[in-house]
């Protein structure tokens, strides 16, 4: 089940809201959320619910064990148990084929690939439970005594399958002490409608254009066709993932949870360092707090630590060399910026540093997109006009001009236009009183546009579901 489906929007979510707000007891509310979350997760692949429950039970028990023996050497047993179990699940289900392929390539043996299917969301909920156990071990949070409440933390369908990665400390208090607020609920509805519009009306259209150019035989691509394809992919992946995060955060508000922001307009960045402060924030802070700083951070072996973190960041996204290369690519850029380039960029006009950042970000998405290294190399040569292909053809020209207004809208929505709009209205005393009405009208427009496109389209994937 996906958020951007008519079934979810008009049946699953309304039913959840009705059942949830029809009772007052907090434990029953939590139980209702757990039941709906497990139904949501089981909708496509019910077999993986057992794995989710097993993972939750292991980490719940390890948390209790660590809390009981906190400060004693034996507490490490619970921590190691969680790390081995969760990383073992990831290696088994996500990386086993990749490992076997590379062992075969290096040794010229012929081991059979296990061929495990990837459980949806395993990369997200594994990191959530790992962070919980580490925080309990560090004494930063108390272990959750109720398995139902712990399962609620792990399984909340708002963020279960594609993030943001929610830490226990972010919502520990709200699991037991949520307070209903009409303001939060209304803001949650608005945030959900914005995310839905970003996903359906921007990301899906971008994905169709991108697929037209990049999933067919790229040897027939023109140079500008390649640039249009990767540019629209850059639009797709941002609006797809940030739209999903918006919907997740919005639904959290509807039910009294306040998840941290996962995106802060990354395409307005003026450096790669700035970009990674704005893109997939929950993943970046996870690696910073649980890998980079424990390795020594900036104090010891900074270069080594950055390479390890960014290699792991790439590997987290998928079991393929292009993802590792993508992570190391950004790690190298960050090292260069930290060493010399940031001081230079600060003295340049913002437009120049902005163009610099966008250029390397888009090249990064090319590395991210092509899992076949030979295709990737050819594509990089193509867009820099090193393959003797035509610069452009009539089809590319027509595609660009047919979608020019949509491209303009996508670019406009990549900047904080929504925030500026409401600040402007707030600054005018006459309009200020009409903000609730304006919000309702805007939500209806966004929802109507999204539903119209959903009714007429069968293209509706979520990119980050596969991670």
């Amino acid at each position: 089940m996906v958020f951007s489906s008519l079934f979810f929007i008009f049946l699953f979510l309304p039913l959840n809201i009705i059942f949830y707000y029809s009772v007052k007891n907090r434990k029953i509310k939590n139980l209702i959320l757990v039941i709906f979350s497990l139904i949501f997760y089981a909708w496509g692949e019910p077999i993986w619910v057992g794995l989710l429950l097993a993972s939750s039970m292991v980490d719940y028990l390890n948390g209790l064990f660590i809390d009981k023996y906190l400060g004693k050497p034996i507490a490490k047993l619970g921590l190691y148990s969680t790390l081995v179990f969760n990383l073992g699940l990831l290696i088994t289900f996500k990386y086993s084929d990749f490992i076997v392929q590379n062992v075969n390539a290096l040794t010229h043996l012929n081991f059979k690939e296990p061929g495990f299917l990837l459980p949806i969301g395993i990369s997200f909920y594994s990191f959530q439970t790992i962070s919980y156990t580490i925080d309990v071990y560090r004494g930063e949070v108390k272990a959750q005594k109720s398995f139902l409440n712990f399962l609620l933390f792990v399984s909340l369908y708002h963020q279960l399958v594609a993030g943001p990665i929610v830490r226990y400390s972010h919502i520990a208090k709200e699991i037991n002490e949520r307070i209903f607020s009409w303001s939060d609920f209304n803001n949650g509805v608005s945030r959900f409608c914005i995310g839905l519009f970003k996903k359906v009306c921007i990301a899906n259209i971008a994905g169709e254009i991108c697929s037209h150019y990049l999933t067919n035989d790229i040897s027939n691509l023109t140079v500008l066709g390649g640039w249009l394809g990767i540019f629209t992919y850059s639009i797709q992946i941002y609006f797809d993932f940030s739209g999903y995060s918006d919907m997740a955060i919005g639904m959290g508000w509807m039910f009294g949870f306040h998840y941290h922001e996962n995106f802060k307009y990354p395409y307005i960045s003026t450096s790669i360092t700035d970009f990674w402060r704005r893109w997939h924030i929950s993943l970046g802070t996870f690696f910073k707090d649980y890998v980079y700083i424990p390795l020594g951070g900036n104090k010891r072996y900074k270069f080594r630590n950055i390479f390890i973190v960014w290699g792991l960041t790439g590997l987290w996204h998928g079991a393929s060399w292009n993802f590792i290369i993508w992570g190391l690519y950004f790690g190298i850029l960050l090292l260069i910026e930290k060493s010399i380039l940031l001081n230079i960029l600060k003295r340049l006009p913002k437009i120049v540093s902005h163009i610099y950042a966008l250029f390397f970000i888009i090249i990064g998405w090319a590395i991210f997109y092509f899992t076949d290294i030979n295709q990737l190399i050819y594509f990089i040569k193509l867009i820099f006009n090193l393959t003797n292909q035509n610069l452009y053809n009539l089809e590319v020209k027509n595609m660009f001009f047919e979608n020019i207004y949509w491209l303009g809208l996508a670019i406009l929505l990549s900047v904080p236009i929504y925030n500026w709009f409401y600040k402007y209205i707030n600054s005018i005393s006459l309009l200020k009183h009409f903000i609730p009405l304006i919000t309702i009208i805007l939500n209806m427009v966004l929802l109507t546009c999204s539903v119209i496109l959903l009714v007429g389209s069968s293209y509706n994937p979520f990119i980050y579901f596969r991670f």
Side-chain angles (χ1 to χ4, degrees), residues 41 44-45 48 118-123 125 160-161 465:
Y41 190 68
E45 297 173 333
W48 298 127
L118 181 65
I120 293 175
I122 190 171
S123 297
Y125 72 71
L160 172 61
V161 295
F465 270 26

Side-chain angles (χ1 to χ4, degrees), residues 428-443:
I428 302 174
S429 56
L430 183 63
L431 293 177
K432 190 175 181 179
H433 302 290
F434 292 96
I435 286 181
L437 178 61
I438 292 170
T439 302
I440 291 171
I441 293 171
L442 183 58
N443 289 344

Side-chain angles (χ1 to χ4, degrees), residues 206 209-210 213-214 222-234 379 383 395-397 399-400 403 406-407:
I209 299 172
C210 166
Y213 290 104
L214 302 187
T222 62
V223 176
L224 291 184
W227 279 108
L228 182 59
I230 200 60
F231 181 73
T232 51
Y233 181 69
S234 302
F379 183 79
I383 59 177
E395 190 273 338
V396 173
K397 179 181 176 182
M399 179 69 82
F400 177 78
N403 291 281
W406 169 85
L407 282 167

Side-chain angles (χ1 to χ4, degrees), residues 143-154:
Q144 174 57 250
K145 306 300 182 183
S146 163
F147 179 67
L148 175 67
N149 288 348
F150 184 76
L151 185 59
L152 176 64
F153 154 66
V154 177

Side-chain angles (χ1 to χ4, degrees), residues 272-317:
I272 301 304
T273 302
D274 189 24
F275 173 75
W276 280 104
R277 291 192 188 113
R278 298 171 178 272
W279 179 275
H280 203 346
I281 298 167
S282 62
L283 180 67
T285 53
F286 178 93
F287 276 114
K288 176 186 174 184
D289 293 344
Y290 299 110
V291 181
Y292 185 68
I293 291 176
L295 283 173
N298 294 326
K299 297 178 180 177
R300 295 188 294 123
Y301 311 115
K302 180 174 71 173
F303 285 14
R304 180 207 65 177
N305 299 342
I306 287 176
F307 272 105
I308 290 173
V309 165
W310 286 98
L312 290 174
T313 299
L315 189 61
W316 178 88
H317 283 85

Side-chain angles (χ1 to χ4, degrees), residues 17-35:
I17 292 171
I18 291 167
F19 276 96
Y20 180 83
Y21 283 107
S22 65
V23 298
K24 292 184 179 180
N25 185 280
R26 185 72 61 212
K27 289 183 179 179
I28 299 177
K29 283 180 179 288
N30 287 353
L31 178 61
I32 289 169
L33 281 177
V34 167
I35 291 170

Side-chain angles (χ1 to χ4, degrees), residues 90-101 113-116:
L90 281 175
I91 291 169
T92 300
F93 287 100
K94 190 170 183 176
Y95 301 108
S96 55
D97 284 358
F98 180 65
I99 293 169
V100 171
Q101 288 166 11
E113 295 173 19
F116 290 115

